[in-house]
Amino acid sequence: GVMEKLGLGPEVLLQENPRLIYARLTGFGQTGIYAKSAGHDINYLALSGVLSKLGRKNENPYAPVNLLADFAGGGVMCAMGIVMALFERARSGRGQVIDASMVKGVAYLSSFLWKSQNMGIWSQPRGENLLDSGAPFYETYRTSDGKFMAVGALEPQFYTQLIKGLGLNLDELPAQMSFSDWPEMKKKFASIFAQKTQAEWCSIFDSTDACVTPVLSFDDVASHQHNKERSSFIKNDQGDLSPRPAPVLSRTPAVPSCKRDPFIGEHTEEILLEYGFTEQEIAKLYSDKAIECKNLKANL
């Protein structure tokens, strides 16, 4: 209701421009008993049902930073809604309002979890299933130098290469999908991975289809050979590292800026002056703590 209070709600603006696409990105959505309640990623994740699936056996559910609801279920879904509305407008000539709720967005993002319930993938309690740290062949393992390797050898042909790389004999092990043997197999795999460094394991598993890769830190990710060849990370003019925009379009690829990120309030005065505010008005906004400015030139 904030935009309505300002007289800038969708009904008002769409009357003035029927082609307008008006995106409303919220946590709980425009309606419902939580619509006006405060919340954060973890709350939206909880209400969507997804949080109940995240976490290890005998531990509390955990939210993986704030990527799922805020960015994937919220920002990306909202952006997709805008693109869909633009595509539809090319045929109808009319705009529309997008209600992008992070709860609904992340719930829809989790459609795979819902649609695969009867496939046996999620038949066990949290942390005991194929993709949630239950399987020994879909897990992370600590190496002798305190780093980690990620294992995702789901298919039998990949699992065979994992077992070979670990120096084990497939004929002497339980069947890959023997659920009751998974806990012991995880202990066996963990003890073997702990005997070599991350680099040593990379030398064994690189160029194989065992689906075993290093867990790279932010400090190491840009120097990894694969990421270097793909130019996956870029540095700005201050030497700060960040991911290159993705996905890459063949004809109109993104041209990333190599300038540093602006400081908070760095351009506030410049922009307000450009929009017709006087220095006295800007100074008043600053003194009222309505804005932040860096090196304010206006007389206080």
Side-chain angles (χ1 to χ4, degrees):
V2 174
M3 296 303 284
E4 280 79 1
K5 290 175 184 176
L6 296 172
L8 298 172
E11 292 80 6
V12 173
L13 297 187
L14 280 165
Q15 278 187 353
E16 188 168 319
N17 178 9
R19 291 175 56 82
L20 183 69
I21 292 163
Y22 194 114
R24 314 194 82 165
L25 175 57
T26 59
F28 295 113
Q30 296 297 319
T31 57
I33 60 171
Y34 286 174
K36 296 185 184 301
S37 299
H40 281 293
D41 181 286
I42 194 169
N43 307 116
Y44 314 138
L45 205 57
L47 204 62
S48 73
V50 177
L51 186 56
S52 71
K53 295 290 186 181
L54 305 178
R56 291 185 176 275
K57 180 181 178 181
N58 298 326
E59 293 184 9
N60 295 351
Y62 76 93
V65 206
N66 65 324
L67 294 175
L68 284 183
D70 280 354
F71 294 104
V76 174
M77 286 292 186
C78 184
M80 187 170 73
I82 294 169
V83 171
M84 290 191 295
L86 285 167
F87 183 77
E88 193 279 336
R89 188 177 72 179
R91 289 189 284 184
S92 69
R94 298 172 59 198
Q96 53 189 312
V97 182
I98 299 161
D99 179 357
S101 150
M102 294 183 195
V103 173
K104 292 182 75 170
V106 76
Y108 184 59
L109 188 72
S110 72
S111 295
F112 164 68
L113 303 183
W114 292 89
K115 301 294 185 181
S116 61
Q117 285 183 100
N118 297 325
M119 294 170 58
I121 298 177
W122 308 107
S123 58
Q124 302 299 315
R126 184 182 66 251
E128 298 181 36
N129 298 280
L130 188 67
L131 301 175
D132 65 358
S133 79
F137 47 85
Y138 203 86
E139 177 61 287
T140 57
Y141 293 99
R142 183 183 291 271
T143 58
S144 64
D145 54 347
K147 298 182 180 181
F148 296 90
M149 297 297 290
V151 177
L154 291 171
E155 289 78 4
Q157 65 272 30
F158 302 156
Y159 182 72
T160 299
Q161 294 200 38
L162 167 66
I163 296 304
K164 180 181 177 182
L166 292 176
L168 297 172
N169 189 333
L170 194 64
D171 296 332
E172 298 173 357
L173 299 175
Q176 179 184 359
M177 299 305 293
S178 176
F179 294 96
S180 61
D181 291 301
W182 280 3
E184 281 305 311
M185 288 297 290
K186 286 181 76 169
K187 292 178 183 177
K188 182 184 288 288
F189 286 6
S191 67
I192 295 173
F193 271 106
Q195 295 170 20
K196 288 182 172 65
T197 66
Q198 186 187 72
E200 288 173 325
W201 285 118
C202 287
S203 68
I204 291 172
F205 285 112
D206 280 359
S207 302
T208 74
D209 282 336
C211 301
V212 179
T213 50
V215 178
L216 299 174
S217 69
F218 273 26
D219 292 332
D220 299 332
V221 68
S223 60
H224 188 276
Q225 188 60 34
H226 179 81
N227 292 332
K228 284 169 64 176
E229 291 176 7
R230 295 276 299 162
S231 299
S232 298
F233 295 85
I234 54 176
K235 285 185 178 180
N236 66 14
D237 53 14
Q238 304 290 305
D240 297 322
L241 203 64
S242 63
R244 182 178 290 275
V248 180
L249 305 185
S250 63
R251 189 168 50 79
T252 58
V255 180
S257 170
C258 288
K259 294 181 179 179
R260 63 161 175 78
D261 293 338
F263 302 120
I264 294 175
E266 182 174 357
H267 304 112
T268 304
E269 184 182 12
E270 176 187 338
I271 291 169
L272 291 178
L273 286 170
E274 187 178 312
Y275 273 88
F277 285 79
T278 66
E279 289 190 348
Q280 289 72 27
E281 288 171 328
I282 296 171
K284 180 67 164 60
L285 289 170
Y286 180 77
S287 65
D288 289 343
K289 298 184 178 179
I291 61 172
E292 286 194 46
C293 290
K294 186 174 178 63
N295 300 324
L296 186 68
K297 301 186 190 73
N299 294 322
L300 298 179

